Amino acid sequence: MEQQANIVLLGAPGAGKGTQAAFLVQRLVIPHVSTGDMLRAARAAGTELGRKAAQYMDAGELVPDDIIVGVALERLAQPDCAQGFLLDGFPRTLPQAEALTEALGQAGRRIALALNLDADEAEIVRRLSSRRVCRGCGKIFSLAKKQVQEGGACPECGGEVYQREDDQPEVIRERLAVYRRQTEPLIGYYRQQGVLRMVASIGSPDEVNDAVQAVLKETF
Ligand code: AP5
């Protein structure tokens, strides 16, 4: 039987998860479920979830498991995720991973692929300091690559391009420390489940995408 494309994207902040997710969902035609994007949308809409999450996000800390697990599992229960999904930013702790495994198991499903994007820390800091995002279409840009100008408009939709609050240097450092402490152990968790694949996030986004596509071909 053909495997369902239930995919988890792992990797440190700035490893390129959002960038690769944009390529992947086009190729696989599955929804991109980014808990970070969901929290930022809740924040922009001024909901209670958004207000609660903001204090953690701005400090570079994780939103507590009891909040985020409910948000993510509710999203995965939507009909558009029934044939597969690409999870970006979830799970991020072992309790989150266990809750996901259990919820999928109850529906007779499982994660088919946990793809870890592996990037060097100095490169991550360079990428995140230079990242700009469009408020309109969500597209991710790099100032360093001159994909957009500081204060300029989005070349795709003309929307406002901004720097994420958590892309300030001291918050980046805290996010990386939190990643090493709380999220990196998931590499071992998914390795034990036999679904882990590592891809070096080195070279241009297109080159990384070639390596990712090669893994997909072998898996699905
Ligand atoms: P989230 O939005 O998930 O952020 P993150 O995991 O820290 O990841 P990023 O979005 O920063 O990086 P990315 O890997 O997607 O890199 P990108 O492709 O943009 O989470 C934010 C916050 O929300 C968390 O800190 C937490 O508070 C909360 N949260 C979310 N989920 C949670 C959960 N499950 N539990 C608890 N809390 C949660 O690339 C970065 C830059 O590099 C871009 O400018 C891009 O253009 C550039 N770039 C990408 N690839 C390349 C390349 N190959 N070469 C050169 N440049 C590149």
Side-chain angles (χ1 to χ4, degrees):
M1 196 181 74
E2 206 174 283
Q3 277 211 86
Q4 253 193 4
N6 302 330
I7 305 173
V8 167
L9 261 185
L10 296 173
K17 302 183 295 297
T19 301
Q20 293 305 318
F23 288 119
L24 282 174
V25 292
Q26 272 185 6
R27 144 110 162 68
L28 293 168
V29 200
I30 51 174
H32 173 203
V33 178
S34 158
T35 42
D37 286 350
M38 289 164 74
L39 293 173
R40 281 183 289 278
R43 209 174 154 166
T47 66
E48 197 191 336
L49 168 67
R51 277 194 298 277
K52 275 190 195 157
Q55 54 183 313
Y56 299 100
M57 296 173 82
D58 288 351
E61 304 295 333
L62 295 183
V63 172
D65 290 341
D66 59 343
I67 297 179
I68 200 72
V69 166
V71 170
L73 296 186
E74 198 178 305
R75 175 68 188 90
L76 293 180
Q78 299 296 311
D80 64 329
C81 294
Q83 299 309 318
F85 51 77
L86 178 66
L87 269 172
D88 165 6
F90 183 92
R92 242 178 162 99
T93 63
L94 279 173
Q96 290 180 21
E98 285 160 0
L100 174 64
T101 301
E102 194 188 322
L104 290 175
Q106 280 170 5
R109 302 172 72 186
R110 61 191 284 274
I111 292 299
L113 172 66
L115 189 69
N116 186 71
L117 294 174
D118 203 14
D120 166 84
E121 200 158 308
E123 170 70 9
I124 283 175
V125 174
R126 270 195 297 276
R127 286 183 188 177
L128 290 181
S129 313
S130 164
R131 172 168 59 187
R132 297 296 181 271
V133 185
C134 174
R135 270 195 215 283
C137 65
K139 195 160 166 65
I140 303 165
F141 299 102
S142 164
L143 275 187
K145 291 186 181 300
K146 300 195 183 354
Q147 292 167 339
V148 71
Q149 285 185 347
E150 192 72 284
C154 172
E156 300 283 324
C157 75
E160 183 200 351
V161 172
Y162 79 110
Q163 181 173 32
R164 271 172 46 175
E165 287 80 356
D166 59 354
D167 280 346
Q168 302 299 329
E170 64 285 4
V171 187
I172 294 173
R173 273 193 294 278
E174 179 58 18
R175 287 163 65 201
L176 286 169
V178 166
Y179 167 77
R180 281 192 296 271
R181 210 166 50 235
Q182 295 187 262
T183 308
E184 211 168 35
L186 295 188
I187 294 177
Y189 178 84
Y190 284 112
R191 181 178 286 125
Q192 252 183 355
Q193 297 202 353
V195 295
L196 179 77
R197 296 297 302 270
M198 305 284 276
V199 167
S201 186
I202 297 171
S204 70
D206 283 333
E207 285 165 338
V208 177
N209 185 242
D210 288 343
V212 167
Q213 297 293 353
V215 169
L216 287 185
K217 255 193 202 149
E218 289 166 18
T219 312
F220 299 106

